[in-house]
Amino acid sequence: MSLPTQNASLHGNGNTVVQIVGDGNAVTIAGAQGLFLNTFRHPNWAEAPVDPAKEGQPGFTRTGRRETKVLSPFNRDTLPFEGRTALLEGLKSWLAEDRQVSVQVVLGGGGRGKTRLATQLIDWAEAEGWTAGVAERDKLDVYRNSGCVTRRDAPTLVVVDYASAKLEALASWLRALSSETGTHPPLRLLLLERVGGPGSSWWTRLFDQGGPDGEAVADLLSPGAPRAVEALSTAAERHHVFAAAYRAATDGAVPAMLEQLDRTLTEVSLGGEPLFIAMFALVAARQGLGKASALPADKIAQNLAKGELTRIGKIWAAQSGLPPGRDQGAARPFDSHLAALASLSEGWSEAEAHDAISREAEALNLALPGGSEPVRAALHTALPGSEGGIGAVLPDILGEAMAIIALQHLPERGVPAIRRAVEAKRVEVTKAIIRTCQDFLIRGEETPLTWLEALRAHASDLEALIALSDAMPNDTLELREIAAEVSQAILKLVASLQEGEAQSEIAAGTLSNLSNRLDALGRREEALAAIEEAMEIYRSLAAARPD
């Protein structure tokens, strides 16, 4: 729908006008910057089409569908939304709240279905006349500017996935929205994260800052936030997901919903994670139900990841002009190496891809006779990103499994490559490694823990330590000790800095996080001492700001 050009009437100087724009629309306010929402309804995302020429090939099902497309959270074509009806209805009611601006938070582990739930809500909202979609994280950077004014032409739903990765931009945006004046169409922000809630690091930085400004931001939260996405709770729901994925993968009859099959689905999915059920169905359709049932969840993910790596390798061999790379005399596929780093980096722009290819080739002593362009072009064909970039392998857990497979046999389990990737995209790679720890440590895979420990040892400056701390969840058992140690390292470094308000704010926030982390470890007395010290700093800061 095209709209006439508008003129923004703003109070004050230096304000940045941000117009939220839906799929396929253009900015219509003169001089405004656009926050473009993506519904992921394009066939590249929303469908898993059949390609008869690819039937049974690596990375493809027997029906010729690309496996990662079947598993995509945006796939409305072959993998229907299942269960969580009460939560979806609750979110629809939230949209109808009698508030101009409202924020809701949805939490759930990897593979639980947060993004799929949000996709369902986006489709419903658009059918009701809303502008709705996902705000890609790099597009939120506009809100780092202070004094942003948000404009929208209709009721608007903005979904932000992995919200904790954009704390600075979100915090600035929420402060601006909390002081919004005038009457405007409703605006709803739906923040998605794996873990969090009151007391967590990222929640505190967004909603528990205290003072009049902090309280105004906290008032934007919808009552009852956060909401949790639960696992599929019934045998029928689990079998429906299994059957849909199985039918997408083979023309054979779907195994009946028997008690033994449901026990298997429950075990491989850790109690009903829909993504793991769908992955199991794809492996069962290819290898047989018996063989698939003998595989634990992490091996199912790695089985599919190996197929994806082989698919990428075939495109590489045909287009890159390079054989698999060699490092120190041992065969090490350069295509897998780059695909793994691109996924851990949450994708590369075209420029980032050229830089990464050149950087890794130099580190591995590989010659690029044609330069980095043929390599970028081959990777883009295999993993297409926007505007010539390289996309990450999705769903995340497949990209994580692929990275483990590709990097774990490198010297030091790929730690030097991880460090180089962190230098280029610190926040994204740090977050991805922590997600990999969350998804695979509980399944006995320790390679991502090696990466995380290397990041901690390498994070010597305050910015790096804070980025690592912000990414650390408080309630993941395997990471609690490391999280506490990172907080303590920040406090030690802050103590060496010149005293000032900024230093005090960092110290107070870090002490609060440390208290939560020590409490989770059962170290109650240390936790109490940390929170008391934090409160004393907060009181001093409040006294220095009497207004």
Side-chain angles (χ1 to χ4, degrees), residues 320-322 367-375:
S320 73
L322 287 177
L368 299 176
S372 60
E373 174 53 26
V375 176

Side-chain angles (χ1 to χ4, degrees), residues 110-111 194 267-271 273 276 279 296-302 397 400 435-446 478:
R194 290 190 169 199
E267 289 171 3
V268 300
S269 66
L270 297 179
E273 310 284 7
F276 283 93
M279 290 194 298
D298 61 318
K299 299 304 181 186
I300 289 171
Q302 291 185 12
I397 196 163
E400 296 158 7
R435 289 197 301 268
T436 308
C437 286
Q438 291 174 292
D439 288 335
F440 285 93
L441 280 180
I442 60 174
R443 299 175 173 93
E445 173 56 68
E446 296 201 356
E478 294 79 8

Side-chain angles (χ1 to χ4, degrees), residues 241-415:
V241 172
F242 169 80
Y246 195 91
R247 278 192 293 268
T250 181
D251 294 327
V254 175
M257 189 179 70
L258 301 176
E259 183 177 347
Q260 178 57 49
L261 175 57
D262 188 57
R263 279 200 298 269
T264 300
L265 295 179
T266 303
E267 289 171 3
V268 300
S269 66
L270 297 179
E273 310 284 7
L275 175 59
F276 283 93
I277 293 172
M279 290 194 298
F280 173 78
L282 295 187
V283 175
R286 186 199 304 156
Q287 298 185 1
L289 189 59
K291 288 184 178 179
S293 298
L295 296 173
D298 61 318
K299 299 304 181 186
I300 289 171
Q302 291 185 12
N303 186 296
L304 293 169
K306 287 176 182 177
E308 179 67 1
L309 283 170
T310 303
R311 183 192 69 82
I312 293 169
K314 292 180 68 173
I315 295 172
W316 173 275
Q319 296 187 25
S320 73
L322 287 177
R326 292 182 176 273
D327 178 29
Q328 299 181 359
R332 305 193 189 281
F334 193 39
D335 56 318
S336 300
H337 180 113
L338 292 174
L341 295 183
S343 287
L344 291 177
S345 302
E346 299 183 356
W348 289 326
S349 68
E350 183 173 0
E352 288 170 343
H354 281 294
D355 289 344
I357 292 163
S358 299
R359 181 179 65 243
E360 294 306 303
E362 181 179 357
L364 299 176
N365 297 314
L366 293 175
L368 299 176
S372 60
E373 174 53 26
V375 176
R376 182 213 62 81
L379 285 174
H380 176 72
T381 300
L383 298 170
S386 61
E387 299 178 352
I390 313 302
V393 171
L394 297 174
D396 287 331
I397 196 163
L398 284 190
E400 296 158 7
M402 187 184 73
I404 291 171
I405 293 168
L407 301 180
Q408 66 182 348
H409 299 301
L410 292 174
E412 301 180 60
R413 290 189 174 182
V415 164

Side-chain angles (χ1 to χ4, degrees), residues 73-321:
F74 307 110
N75 173 19
R76 287 96 154 165
D77 180 37
T78 53
L79 205 60
F81 180 76
E82 185 65 43
R84 280 64 68 87
T85 303
L87 179 55
L88 179 59
E89 291 303 314
L91 291 174
K92 292 177 182 178
S93 297
W94 164 63
L95 294 186
E97 282 182 3
D98 187 21
R99 305 174 73 184
Q100 187 160 288
V101 178
S102 183
V103 181
Q104 181 58 274
V105 179
V106 169
L107 304 175
R112 184 64 63 88
K114 302 180 299 298
T115 307
R116 188 68 181 87
L117 172 72
T119 301
Q120 202 75 7
L121 184 65
I122 287 168
D123 289 350
W124 183 87
E126 280 211 323
E128 295 293 312
W130 286 58
T131 297
V134 178
E136 297 175 56
R137 275 164 283 167
D138 59 337
K139 304 298 190 293
L140 288 171
D141 281 342
V142 63
Y143 284 108
R144 288 173 179 264
N145 301 323
S146 60
C148 282
V149 176
T150 300
R151 292 289 181 259
R152 56 271 187 195
D153 301 302
T156 300
L157 167 65
V158 178
V159 176
V160 181
D161 205 352
Y162 294 123
S164 66
K166 278 298 177 186
L167 286 179
E168 186 177 343
L170 281 172
S172 178
W173 190 13
L174 291 175
R175 284 194 299 271
L177 289 173
S178 69
S179 59
E180 184 175 71
T181 59
T183 301
H184 306 282
L187 174 61
R188 300 290 179 264
L189 272 63
L190 179 61
L191 310 184
L192 308 181
E193 253 305 340
R194 290 190 169 199
V195 294
S200 66
S201 173
W202 71 266
W203 184 282
T204 298
R205 288 185 60 185
L206 282 183
F207 302 118
D208 288 338
Q209 286 300 296
D213 290 345
E215 291 174 2
V217 169
D219 286 342
L220 297 178
L221 273 170
S222 176
R227 304 289 300 274
V229 182
E230 303 296 343
L232 297 176
S233 59
T234 70
E237 290 172 348
R238 292 187 286 270
H239 190 264
H240 287 165
V241 172
F242 169 80
Y246 195 91
R247 278 192 293 268
T250 181
D251 294 327
V254 175
M257 189 179 70
L258 301 176
E259 183 177 347
Q260 178 57 49
L261 175 57
D262 188 57
R263 279 200 298 269
T264 300
L265 295 179
T266 303
E267 289 171 3
V268 300
S269 66
L270 297 179
E273 310 284 7
L275 175 59
F276 283 93
I277 293 172
M279 290 194 298
F280 173 78
L282 295 187
V283 175
R286 186 199 304 156
Q287 298 185 1
L289 189 59
K291 288 184 178 179
S293 298
L295 296 173
D298 61 318
K299 299 304 181 186
I300 289 171
Q302 291 185 12
N303 186 296
L304 293 169
K306 287 176 182 177
E308 179 67 1
L309 283 170
T310 303
R311 183 192 69 82
I312 293 169
K314 292 180 68 173
I315 295 172
W316 173 275
Q319 296 187 25
S320 73

Side-chain angles (χ1 to χ4, degrees), residues 416-471:
I418 293 292
R419 285 175 174 163
R420 292 190 295 271
V422 168
E423 289 175 1
K425 298 189 76 172
R426 184 191 304 277
V427 172
E428 292 83 356
V429 177
T430 300
K431 284 281 187 184
I433 289 174
I434 289 172
R435 289 197 301 268
T436 308
C437 286
Q438 291 174 292
D439 288 335
F440 285 93
L441 280 180
I442 60 174
R443 299 175 173 93
E445 173 56 68
E446 296 201 356
T447 296
L449 184 59
T450 301
W451 298 341
L452 181 59
E453 289 174 338
L455 289 190
R456 180 185 54 174
H458 192 63
S460 57
D461 62 275
L462 188 59
E463 180 185 357
L465 283 167
I466 289 175
L468 183 55
S469 179
D470 285 345

